[in-house]
Amino acid sequence: MKKRLELLEQLQDIDLQIDSLKSAQNALHGEVDAIAHTLDGCREDLAALQGRMTVLEQEKTELEASHAIELDNIKRSETNMKEIKTNKEYQAVGREIAAARKQVGELETQTLQKLGLIEELKAEIDQKSRDLEELEQNTRQRIEEKKGEIGAIQHDLDADQAKRDAIAKDLPASLVKRYASLRDQRRGQAVAIARDGYCLGCNMNLPPQLYNSLFRGEELLSCPHCQRVLILKQQAQ
């Protein structure tokens, strides 16, 4: 029975180590995801700026097209004025030309504004592109480092799992099943140390008869409060 208790304690120690390694590995996976998320965010920002540039370029093209149309209208009206015979018609065409010239001025102003916005946005896109390129380089390096750490942990996990499997084979299947059930119920700790009349798993006082039975080591005993398997360990003198 003493041998089984020792094996159970070893099994719990290695399971706790495996739990710790898995937690560290999961944290690293989370860091990798966060790094990738940051990179995706930067790419999305750049894509949004490029989309805005496309809209501005389209608006500028439309303004230039309208400007060309108005200039063509002015030219046509000025040609038609040469053939006008009445003063009333002459004045009407003159007003059309004046309105068209005003529209041309407004279109030129709007076009210049668009050009200014495009230049500003182009500078922002260039900077964002440089930032993204640098971030991509750093991201690749950081992800490779994290993957290396994840791989090293996996190596340790595989080794610990092999040790665990070897220990579990030396225990009855029913005991391993009971141990696993207790681990699920007791946050990973199925075995508890008994010392000075207390269960150190739940810090509750053990019945004297049960505690005394632990000294004989003839059977597996559990704490009546937390149900963990008890292992007697006296305080070192």
Side-chain angles (χ1 to χ4, degrees):
M1 191 56 65
K2 183 179 178 181
K3 179 63 175 176
R4 288 185 180 180
L5 286 171
E6 290 175 353
L7 289 174
L8 273 180
E9 186 176 15
Q10 291 175 26
L11 191 62
Q12 176 162 280
D13 288 343
I14 201 167
D15 274 338
L16 291 174
Q17 176 65 16
I18 288 173
D19 290 344
S20 178
L21 289 172
K22 286 182 177 180
S23 178
Q25 196 176 58
N26 289 336
L28 286 169
H29 280 299
E31 290 180 31
V32 169
D33 291 342
I35 292 170
H37 181 72
T38 299
L39 180 61
D40 289 341
C42 188
R43 286 171 173 163
E44 289 173 2
D45 291 343
L46 178 59
L49 291 175
Q50 291 170 334
R52 176 61 180 157
M53 175 65 82
T54 299
V55 172
L56 286 174
E57 290 284 3
Q58 184 177 354
E59 291 174 348
K60 181 178 77 70
T61 299
E62 291 173 356
L63 287 170
E64 290 172 341
S66 296
H67 182 268
I69 291 172
E70 292 298 330
L71 286 178
D72 187 59
N73 289 339
I74 291 172
K75 184 177 180 181
R76 188 183 305 107
S77 296
E78 287 176 341
T79 300
N80 291 338
M81 286 185 74
K82 298 176 182 179
E83 301 175 1
I84 293 174
K85 298 179 179 179
T86 67
N87 188 49
K88 184 176 181 180
E89 290 177 340
Y90 188 89
Q91 290 177 349
V93 173
R95 287 193 294 270
E96 290 177 1
I97 292 173
R101 285 175 176 168
K102 181 180 179 181
Q103 182 66 16
V104 165
E106 292 175 354
L107 289 169
E108 288 174 348
T109 299
Q110 293 176 33
T111 301
L112 288 174
Q113 290 174 345
K114 294 294 179 185
L115 286 170
L117 291 173
I118 287 172
E119 287 301 315
E120 291 176 5
L121 190 56
K122 184 178 182 300
E124 189 175 355
I125 288 174
D126 289 343
Q127 183 61 53
K128 197 71 172 180
S129 297
R130 289 192 293 271
D131 292 344
L132 177 59
E133 183 178 358
E134 182 179 354
L135 182 61
E136 285 175 336
Q137 293 175 352
N138 293 338
T139 295
R140 284 193 294 270
Q141 180 179 353
R142 291 174 65 194
I143 287 179
E144 286 303 314
E145 290 173 356
K146 298 298 178 185
K147 285 184 176 179
E149 294 178 44
I150 290 170
I153 290 176
Q154 188 60 50
H155 180 270
D156 292 341
L157 275 171
D158 293 340
D160 285 344
Q161 187 63 47
K163 292 177 185 177
R164 186 196 188 282
D165 293 343
I167 293 171
K169 284 180 181 179
D170 290 335
L171 289 167
S174 59
L175 182 55
V176 174
K177 184 177 180 180
R178 176 183 170 190
Y179 164 83
S181 177
L182 281 170
R183 257 179 60 83
D184 290 340
Q185 296 170 19
R186 299 300 174 188
R187 292 179 294 182
Q189 189 174 8
V191 179
I193 293 172
R195 180 180 294 154
D196 299 330
Y198 286 88
C199 168
L200 300 189
C202 60
N203 295 317
M204 295 295 288
N205 196 9
L206 295 169
Q209 185 176 356
L210 183 147
Y211 186 68
N212 290 333
S213 297
L214 289 171
F215 285 88
R216 294 194 293 272
E218 296 174 349
E219 57 182 321
L220 288 176
L221 297 172
S222 299
C223 172
H225 307 291
C226 66
Q227 285 74 52
R228 293 183 175 95
V229 176
L230 294 170
I231 295 179
L232 180 65
K233 287 197 175 182
Q234 296 290 74
Q235 190 73 31
Q237 298 298 322

